[in-house]
């Protein structure tokens, strides 16, 4: 039976109301620290280090914190943001991580001048190689000279697309030397800073 636009909207509204109650119950269980698949993991225990509260029996490990010296001899940049994980050789995991840094940030991704998309910009990515025991094996800069790398995602062929969240140009912002607002590709297999080639076919805008 064909539905009029009014009938369709009315029925969709009823469905939306009916779906709200289970959805609220799901959110409530999550907010109470309970698993949506079972009775839950129990209350969160305050972390004496003030970093991450976890239920009893859970633990975390911190590595590659801001300011620590990386394998390439440079400090870990700030502004940690989006990242992707890739299966590496010999049971390792490779993380490619954004650094959402602006030209006026107090931190920067350090790289040779010829490897920076914009010599005045401070954003980019770092790559971390994590061993089977969740211990950091190596970390280094892998993209540099970009502006506020925020969003991103993995490709099917084993690379990370890192996205700029700013569209400054030399005409609109004296703190840059080239147009920004592009995406850049960083292969997970890279062992040092890649050539910063903007993927102009993906458009120039705030990629968030």
């Amino acid at each position: 039976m064909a539905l009029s636009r009014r009938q369709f909207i009315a029925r969709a509204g009823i469905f939306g109301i009916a779906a709200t109650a289970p959805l609220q119950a799901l959110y409530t269980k999550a907010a109470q620290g309970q698993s949506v698949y079972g009775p839950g993991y129990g209350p969160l225990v305050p972390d004496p280090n003030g970093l991450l509260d976890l239920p009893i029996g859970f633990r975390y490990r911190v590595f590659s914190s801001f300011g620590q010296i990386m394998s390439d001899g440079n400090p870990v940049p700030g502004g940690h943001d989006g990242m992707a994980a890739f299966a590496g050789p010999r049971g390792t995991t490779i993380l490619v991580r954004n650094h959402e840094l602006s030209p006026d940030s107090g931190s920067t991704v350090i790289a040779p001048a010829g490897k920076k998309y914009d010599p005045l910009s401070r954003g980019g990515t770092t790559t971390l190689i994590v061993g089977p025991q969740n211990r950091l094996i190596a970390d280094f800069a892998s993209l540099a000279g970009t502006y506020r790398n925020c969003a991103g995602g993995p490709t099917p062929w084993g690379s990370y697309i890192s996205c700029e969240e700013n569209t400054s140009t030399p005409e609109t912002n004296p703190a840059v030397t080239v147009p920004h607002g592009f995406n850049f590709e960083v292969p997970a297999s890279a062992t040092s800073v890649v050539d910063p080639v903007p993927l102009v076919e993906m458009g120039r805008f705030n990629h968030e």
Side-chain angles (χ1 to χ4, degrees), residues 43-56 58-62:
L44 299 179
V45 178
D47 177 15
N49 296 317
L51 292 178
L52 183 63
D53 296 343
L54 295 171
I56 294 175
F58 286 76
R59 61 183 179 177
Y60 66 83
R61 174 170 289 148
V62 177

Side-chain angles (χ1 to χ4, degrees), residues 116-190:
K116 299 190 73 172
Y117 173 66
D118 184 342
L120 298 183
S121 293
R122 294 173 171 261
T125 66
T126 51
T127 295
L128 297 79
I129 302 175
V130 183
Q133 302 302 316
N134 295 328
R135 296 191 180 277
L136 184 64
I137 297 175
D139 53 348
F140 50 88
S142 49
L143 175 69
T146 48
Y147 201 138
R148 291 188 61 183
N149 298 68
C150 184
T155 68
W157 47 89
S159 65
Y160 181 67
I161 303 297
S162 181
C163 310
E164 291 187 303
E165 191 192 16
N166 188 279
T167 56
S168 291
T169 67
E171 292 74 27
T172 62
N173 186 350
V176 303
T177 64
V178 294
H180 290 270
F182 295 110
N183 295 339
F184 297 80
E185 186 170 17
V186 181
S189 60

